[in-house]
Amino acid sequence: MRNVLITGASRGIGAETARIFAQGGDRVFINYSKSENAAASLQKELSECGHYAVSIKADVSSSREVNEMFERISREYGGIDVLVNNAGISQTKLFTDITDDDWNTMISTNLSGVFYCCRAALPYMIRKHHGRIINISSMWGQVGGSCEVHYSAAKAGIIGLTKALAMEEGLSGITVNCIAPGVIATEMNSHLSEQDISVLKDETPTGTIGTPKDVAKAVFFLASDSSSFITGQTLGVNGGFVVS
């Protein structure tokens, strides 16, 4: 049984990822920052199905809280075998309207949080000479999104971090990969109108938008033995919206 930590796992992509790992027989740690009720509900759902799930609170933008979370997991369960850095926020704003607080909050949650979690997870993985790290970026981190400059910058940073860390940790038996979702039907995109969704479907070669499960299945693959020779890669789960 592997120990799998999924940040931002109380809903959306994170929750579906927790479900697919739990169904695969792994021990799942459901990280959340504010959505305690949603995390507790997911834990109950998985536990009632006979799966092993633990909800654990930590704000990934705080190195202290991240370290405390990993220390607890290490103390009680031994360490993390699979880390899925999914926690993130979004904001739509003209570049000239982005404040210092907007920028700092975006970077600290979406990029620094990945750094803090990778740094905390690696000692155990290195000792074990095995580990899987999957970081969730965005297609906007690949091509840039208008009115989402700070979001795009943070997500692009995740891609760079993934590539560099994969090169550094390859000989330690650890793979580090990235997923760049396209338009996914999540709460983060709930502000989009039906017309917006229709336009995005038309711009996507498959003619559809993605689901959280589409991303979760890709994460599960990258954490499996079937992906042991894949590292430093960015997998686009976007219906062909962005072709790299």
Side-chain angles (χ1 to χ4, degrees):
M1 178 185 289
R2 298 179 300 181
N3 289 338
V4 181
L5 172 64
I6 303 146
T7 66
S10 61
R11 56 182 181 267
I13 291 170
E16 283 302 319
T17 302
R19 289 186 181 99
I20 199 168
F21 276 101
Q23 290 162 6
D26 295 309
R27 180 187 288 115
V28 173
F29 296 91
I30 303 164
N31 163 257
Y32 70 94
S33 176
K34 297 176 182 176
S35 304
E36 182 175 3
N37 291 338
S41 177
L42 178 58
Q43 178 182 335
K44 181 180 178 183
E45 171 197 326
L46 295 177
S47 297
E48 287 179 347
C49 292
H51 305 310
Y52 201 124
V54 178
S55 61
I56 184 164
K57 176 179 171 60
D59 179 351
V60 298
S61 69
S62 165
S63 62
R64 176 184 58 80
E65 292 191 28
V66 166
N67 289 338
E68 289 174 351
M69 173 173 64
F70 276 86
E71 286 167 5
R72 175 189 163 189
I73 293 171
S74 178
R75 182 173 63 251
E76 298 180 10
Y77 302 95
I80 292 298
D81 300 293
V82 178
L83 169 63
V84 182
N85 283 306
N86 168 74
I89 59 173
S90 67
Q91 184 183 48
T92 302
K93 255 189 176 183
L94 286 169
F95 178 71
T96 50
D97 291 335
I98 296 172
T99 66
D100 289 356
D101 284 344
D102 291 333
W103 175 266
N104 291 331
T105 299
M106 185 66 69
I107 297 299
S108 65
T109 301
N110 288 10
L111 182 54
S112 296
V114 175
F115 164 67
Y116 296 146
C117 288
C118 288
R119 184 176 62 180
L122 277 171
Y124 173 79
M125 293 181 177
I126 291 170
R127 286 197 303 273
K128 198 171 182 181
H129 204 75
H130 189 274
R132 297 283 187 268
I133 296 174
I134 301 99
N135 300 320
I136 307 300
S137 177
S138 166
M139 66 179 181
W140 303 128
Q142 296 175 294
V143 299
S146 174
C147 296
E148 292 185 285
V149 171
H150 50 341
Y151 178 81
S152 299
K155 291 298 187 178
I158 292 173
I159 294 172
L161 185 153
T162 297
K163 291 178 178 180
L165 189 58
M167 295 185 71
E168 188 170 323
E169 299 301 334
L171 292 177
S172 296
I174 299 162
T175 63
V176 188
N177 288 292
C178 189
I179 291 177
V183 184
I184 308 295
T186 64
E187 185 178 316
M188 188 177 284
N189 289 322
S190 62
H191 65 284
L192 296 173
S193 67
E194 289 186 15
Q195 183 177 0
D196 292 333
I197 293 295
S198 179
V199 169
L200 289 166
K201 284 182 178 179
D202 289 342
E203 292 178 351
T204 303
T206 59
T208 61
I209 61 172
T211 68
K213 186 170 286 186
D214 291 325
V215 181
K217 288 187 289 187
V219 173
F220 190 74
F221 165 71
L222 289 175
S224 72
D225 289 340
S226 298
S227 70
S228 60
F229 197 53
I230 300 173
T231 194
Q233 304 304 306
T234 300
L235 175 60
V237 182
N238 59 38
F241 196 106
V242 172
V243 180
S244 58

